[in-house]
């Protein structure tokens, strides 16, 4: 039973994460919270997948998802700071 339950759970977490991220993007009209939410769900799906089948490929998938989440968050944060600085009125 566990052989089919955990991959299905990981798939459902992924689908729910895509839906939650889409709803967050529509509701908030901002990309950063939606991408953060989606990457959290994808990381959770990767960890569920890893718990079912501990292999090097599953570990690499979870580690890659975590690295992608951190990279996206840093890039979106830097982009927000750059936009904020470029929108500020010039100082005299």
């Amino acid at each position: 039973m566990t052989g089919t339950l955990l991959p299905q759970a990981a798939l459902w977490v992924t689908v729910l994460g895509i839906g939650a991220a889409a709803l967050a993007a529509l509701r908030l009209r901002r990309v950063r919270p939606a991408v953060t939410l989606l990457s959290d769900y994808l990381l959770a799906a990767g960890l569920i997948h890893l718990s079912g089948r501990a292999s090097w490929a599953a570990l690499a998938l979870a580690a890659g998802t975590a690295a992608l989440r951190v990279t996206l968050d840093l890039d979106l944060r830097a982009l927000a700071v750059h936009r904020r600085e470029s929108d500020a009125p010039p100082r005299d």
Side-chain angles (χ1 to χ4, degrees):
M1 174 135 179
T2 306
T4 60
L5 182 64
L6 289 176
Q8 287 179 357
L11 178 65
W12 277 107
V13 168
T14 302
V15 169
L16 291 173
I18 291 170
L23 289 175
L26 291 173
R27 176 79 172 129
L28 299 175
R29 304 230 186 258
R30 292 185 2 213
V31 174
R32 185 174 171 207
V35 170
T36 302
L37 186 63
L38 178 61
S39 63
D40 284 343
Y41 272 91
L42 292 177
L43 180 59
L47 292 175
I48 290 171
H49 185 72
L50 178 63
S51 70
R53 185 176 18 161
S55 67
W56 287 110
L59 181 62
L61 177 68
T65 304
L68 181 65
R69 183 198 186 288
V70 171
T71 303
L72 282 173
D73 190 45
L74 290 175
D75 285 345
L76 289 172
R77 185 176 299 163
L79 182 63
V81 168
H82 178 68
R83 274 193 192 152
R84 203 173 307 128
E85 288 174 354
S86 65
D87 290 344
R91 294 182 186 175
D92 291 328

